[in-house]
Amino acid sequence: MTRTQTTETVDFWFDPLCPWAWMTSRWMLEVEQVRDVRTVFHVMSLSVLNEDKDVPDEYREMIATGWGPVRLAVAVEQQHGQESLREFYTAIGTARHPGGRDFERGLYEEVLAEIGLPTELADAAEDSSLDDAVRASHADGIDRVGQEVGTPVIEVGGVAFFGPVLSPAPKGEDAGRVFDGARLLAGYDGFYELKRTRDRDPIFD
């Protein structure tokens, strides 16, 4: 779809660890094909979100691995811009979620090569000097929606929400209609929450 001066911006915060954020991102890329919308990708971090919380040990071990990919995502955006961040997230998310790959240097180098970036940028995954930028991006998203949520976060029409949590991600005009509904809810100042218990895992297709 051709973008115009009236193209609507939707801000989207993700952690590469989160399969639900991945599903939401695939939905928003579908929305871009059927609505005059552009998604701006931002990093948030489950490692930051949960660092002071009492969570099960197995979950804590999982999120401890989350620093590498978010540091790398921040470095990609800092050095190569927003479009490269979009490409990086698509590549690493495809490998991680449908592909079942673990986060490790070999994967980082593979993903960087796939999107035409220098593989030595993988060093960023171990660079703790990037943590302040990770925390700042995370805070930017979470401060808009509140502390009781996780990833993903989207902001539509100046109103931020957790979610939407979708499985499978709608495609084509279905994606557009779901977005129309999200925009409509965002347009009502008193709307806060709409939720039901998940009874299916992410369906990667």
Side-chain angles (χ1 to χ4, degrees):
M1 175 175 288
T2 301
R3 307 301 170 194
T4 71
Q5 289 186 339
T6 60
T7 298
E8 181 175 3
T9 296
V10 173
D11 289 288
F12 166 71
W13 281 263
F14 69 91
D15 184 323
L17 271 176
C18 179
W20 299 106
W22 172 251
M23 302 297 289
T24 303
S25 73
R26 300 309 94 182
W27 164 63
M28 280 307 309
L29 294 183
E30 285 287 318
V31 172
E32 290 185 350
Q33 304 307 308
V34 294
R35 298 291 186 271
D36 191 12
V37 169
R38 178 67 172 174
T39 311
V40 179
F41 285 62
H42 307 276
V43 171
M44 66 181 298
S45 170
L46 290 170
S47 300
V48 173
L49 184 71
N50 292 286
E51 61 186 347
D52 296 322
K53 295 181 180 178
D54 184 17
V55 298
D57 288 343
E58 60 270 20
Y59 187 67
R60 186 167 299 282
E61 289 173 7
M62 180 189 72
I63 62 176
T65 69
W67 280 105
V70 292
R71 287 168 177 161
L72 182 51
V74 162
V76 166
E77 183 175 25
Q78 286 179 346
Q79 298 182 34
H80 299 280
Q82 171 64 206
E83 190 61 36
S84 290
L85 178 62
R86 287 165 59 100
E87 294 175 1
F88 170 78
Y89 183 47
T90 287
I92 200 167
T94 300
R96 169 73 176 187
H97 299 299
R101 301 279 297 278
D102 290 330
F103 292 131
E104 44 84 25
R105 187 181 179 93
L107 175 60
Y108 302 151
E109 291 181 348
E110 181 181 316
V111 163
L112 291 166
E114 179 182 335
I115 64 174
L117 297 184
T119 56
E120 58 266 26
L121 189 55
D123 292 344
E126 302 298 327
D127 185 357
S128 60
S129 72
L130 293 163
D131 292 359
D132 284 348
V134 170
R135 290 180 185 278
S137 183
H138 174 86
D140 183 33
I142 208 73
D143 287 350
R144 300 181 192 214
V145 72
Q147 299 296 320
E148 300 85 11
V149 304
T151 176
V153 168
I154 64 167
E155 184 173 272
V156 181
V159 179
F161 298 110
F162 166 69
V165 175
L166 304 162
S167 183
K171 300 192 184 313
E173 186 57 25
D174 283 344
R177 284 194 293 267
V178 172
F179 179 76
D180 295 341
R183 187 200 288 119
L184 185 63
L185 290 171
Y188 178 63
D189 180 65
F191 175 73
Y192 292 97
E193 187 171 1
L194 184 68
K195 187 173 182 177
R196 61 175 175 159
T197 299
R198 293 195 301 263
D199 60 1
R200 67 178 66 164
D201 292 329
I203 299 171
F204 304 125
D205 58 353

